[in-house]
Amino acid sequence: MDDKGLAYTLDAVLALIPVIIVIFGVSNFMASVEPAHPLHSSQNAQDILELMSYSEVNHISLLEKISLILSSGNNSRASITDAQKIASSFLDEKLAGNDYLLTEENQLRGEILAGKMDLKKEDNLATASRNCGNYTFRIYIK
Protein backbone atom coordinates (compact mmCIF):
# COMPACT_ATOMS: atom_id res chain seq x y z
CA MET A 1 0.00 0.00 0.00
CA ASP A 2 1.33 3.43 -0.81
CA ASP A 3 1.43 6.40 1.55
CA LYS A 4 -1.63 8.10 0.00
CA GLY A 5 -3.83 5.03 0.51
CA LEU A 6 -2.74 4.71 4.13
CA ALA A 7 -3.41 8.39 4.78
CA TYR A 8 -6.91 8.22 3.25
CA THR A 9 -7.75 5.07 5.23
CA LEU A 10 -6.46 6.56 8.49
CA ASP A 11 -8.40 9.77 7.78
CA ALA A 12 -11.62 7.80 7.16
CA VAL A 13 -11.22 5.76 10.37
CA LEU A 14 -10.47 8.85 12.43
CA ALA A 15 -13.51 10.61 10.96
CA LEU A 16 -15.77 7.74 12.11
CA ILE A 17 -14.71 8.02 15.77
CA PRO A 18 -16.64 11.27 16.52
CA VAL A 19 -19.69 9.89 14.69
CA ILE A 20 -19.64 6.73 16.84
CA ILE A 21 -19.23 8.81 20.02
CA VAL A 22 -22.26 10.94 19.09
CA ILE A 23 -24.39 7.85 18.33
CA PHE A 24 -23.53 6.24 21.67
CA GLY A 25 -24.12 9.50 23.51
CA VAL A 26 -27.58 9.98 21.99
CA SER A 27 -28.59 6.37 22.61
CA ASN A 28 -27.54 6.58 26.28
CA PHE A 29 -29.40 9.87 26.70
CA MET A 30 -32.59 8.41 25.20
CA ALA A 31 -32.34 5.37 27.47
CA SER A 32 -32.10 7.58 30.58
CA VAL A 33 -35.16 9.72 29.79
CA GLU A 34 -38.21 8.62 31.80
CA PRO A 35 -41.32 7.64 29.84
CA ALA A 36 -44.27 10.05 29.87
CA HIS A 37 -46.39 7.53 31.79
CA PRO A 38 -44.10 5.70 34.19
CA LEU A 39 -44.97 2.13 35.01
CA HIS A 40 -45.98 1.52 38.60
CA SER A 41 -44.08 -1.17 40.32
CA SER A 42 -45.83 -3.58 42.58
CA GLN A 43 -43.72 -2.10 45.38
CA ASN A 44 -46.10 0.90 45.56
CA ALA A 45 -49.04 -1.38 46.25
CA GLN A 46 -46.99 -3.42 48.72
CA ASP A 47 -45.97 -0.25 50.56
CA ILE A 48 -49.56 0.97 50.94
CA LEU A 49 -50.75 -2.34 52.38
CA GLU A 50 -47.72 -2.41 54.64
CA LEU A 51 -48.72 1.02 55.98
CA MET A 52 -52.24 -0.27 56.52
CA SER A 53 -50.81 -3.28 58.39
CA TYR A 54 -48.62 -1.17 60.66
CA SER A 55 -49.92 -0.92 64.25
CA GLU A 56 -51.07 2.50 65.37
CA VAL A 57 -50.82 4.05 68.84
CA ASN A 58 -53.44 1.76 70.39
CA HIS A 59 -51.65 -1.31 68.91
CA ILE A 60 -54.22 -2.02 66.21
CA SER A 61 -53.54 -1.57 62.51
CA LEU A 62 -55.91 -0.10 59.99
CA LEU A 63 -56.51 -3.50 58.38
CA GLU A 64 -57.20 -5.00 61.82
CA LYS A 65 -59.64 -2.20 62.54
CA ILE A 66 -61.46 -2.80 59.25
CA SER A 67 -61.52 -6.55 59.90
CA LEU A 68 -62.93 -6.02 63.40
CA ILE A 69 -65.65 -3.71 62.10
CA LEU A 70 -66.65 -6.21 59.42
CA SER A 71 -66.58 -9.27 61.68
CA SER A 72 -68.36 -7.59 64.60
CA GLY A 73 -71.09 -6.48 62.22
CA ASN A 74 -71.32 -9.94 60.60
CA ASN A 75 -70.41 -8.36 57.25
CA SER A 76 -73.64 -6.36 57.25
CA ARG A 77 -74.18 -3.45 54.90
CA ALA A 78 -73.68 -1.00 57.81
CA SER A 79 -70.34 -2.58 58.77
CA ILE A 80 -69.20 -2.52 55.13
CA THR A 81 -70.12 1.18 54.91
CA ASP A 82 -68.12 1.93 58.08
CA ALA A 83 -65.13 -0.01 56.73
CA GLN A 84 -65.40 1.85 53.42
CA LYS A 85 -65.26 5.22 55.19
CA ILE A 86 -62.13 4.28 57.14
CA ALA A 87 -60.33 2.80 54.13
CA SER A 88 -61.29 5.67 51.82
CA SER A 89 -60.12 8.40 54.17
CA PHE A 90 -56.70 6.74 54.57
CA LEU A 91 -56.19 5.86 50.90
CA ASP A 92 -57.47 9.18 49.56
CA GLU A 93 -54.77 10.89 51.61
CA LYS A 94 -51.94 8.48 50.80
CA LEU A 95 -52.78 7.95 47.11
CA ALA A 96 -53.90 11.45 46.17
CA GLY A 97 -53.81 11.80 42.40
CA ASN A 98 -53.67 8.04 41.74
CA ASP A 99 -56.43 5.71 40.66
CA TYR A 100 -56.82 2.82 43.07
CA LEU A 101 -59.21 0.14 44.22
CA LEU A 102 -59.28 -1.74 47.54
CA THR A 103 -61.34 -4.92 47.71
CA GLU A 104 -61.98 -7.72 50.17
CA GLU A 105 -61.73 -11.08 48.41
CA ASN A 106 -62.41 -13.82 50.95
CA GLN A 107 -65.52 -13.01 53.00
CA LEU A 108 -67.14 -10.31 50.86
CA ARG A 109 -66.28 -11.89 47.49
CA GLY A 110 -64.62 -8.87 45.89
CA GLU A 111 -66.62 -6.12 47.59
CA ILE A 112 -65.10 -2.71 46.87
CA LEU A 113 -64.04 -0.97 50.07
CA ALA A 114 -62.37 2.10 48.59
CA GLY A 115 -61.65 3.75 45.24
CA LYS A 116 -63.17 3.55 41.80
CA MET A 117 -61.67 1.71 38.88
CA ASP A 118 -62.96 -0.56 36.13
CA LEU A 119 -60.53 -3.47 36.28
CA LYS A 120 -61.70 -4.87 32.95
CA LYS A 121 -60.60 -1.72 31.13
CA GLU A 122 -57.29 -1.24 32.93
CA ASP A 123 -53.94 -2.75 32.14
CA ASN A 124 -50.55 -2.53 33.82
CA LEU A 125 -51.85 -2.34 37.38
CA ALA A 126 -49.77 -2.78 40.50
CA THR A 127 -51.43 -5.15 42.96
CA ALA A 128 -50.80 -6.46 46.44
CA SER A 129 -52.79 -8.43 48.97
CA ARG A 130 -52.73 -8.97 52.73
CA ASN A 131 -54.60 -11.32 55.02
CA CYS A 132 -55.98 -10.05 58.29
CA GLY A 133 -58.09 -12.47 60.28
CA ASN A 134 -60.50 -14.17 57.91
CA TYR A 135 -60.28 -11.30 55.44
CA THR A 136 -58.08 -10.93 52.36
CA PHE A 137 -57.58 -7.37 51.21
CA ARG A 138 -56.31 -6.61 47.69
CA ILE A 139 -55.30 -3.22 46.36
CA TYR A 140 -54.94 -2.21 42.72
CA ILE A 141 -53.02 0.95 41.82
CA LYS A 142 -52.80 2.47 38.37
Side-chain angles (χ1 to χ4, degrees), residues 14-85:
L14 291 176
L16 288 176
I17 291 174
V19 172
I20 292 171
I21 291 172
V22 169
I23 289 172
F24 282 123
V26 169
S27 66
N28 284 339
F29 174 74
M30 295 304 289
S32 68
V33 174
E34 288 187 31
H37 303 305
L39 302 176
H40 290 284
S41 69
S42 62
Q43 190 62 43
N44 293 339
Q46 295 288 344
D47 289 346
I48 289 296
L49 283 185
E50 189 65 30
L51 282 173
M52 293 178 80
S53 300
Y54 183 73
S55 294
E56 295 177 351
V57 176
N58 52 356
H59 304 292
I60 186 167
S61 72
L62 190 63
L63 288 181
E64 289 172 331
K65 188 184 295 186
I66 292 170
S67 295
L68 286 172
I69 289 171
L70 291 170
S71 63
S72 65
N74 292 322
N75 299 330
S76 67
R77 179 52 42 199
S79 66
I80 292 172
T81 302
D82 291 342
Q84 288 171 333
K85 288 177 187 175

Side-chain angles (χ1 to χ4, degrees), residues 2 10 38 52 69 73 78 94 98 107 124:
D2 62 358
L10 185 60
M52 293 178 80
I69 289 171
K94 298 296 182 194
N98 289 326
Q107 298 291 317
N124 195 27

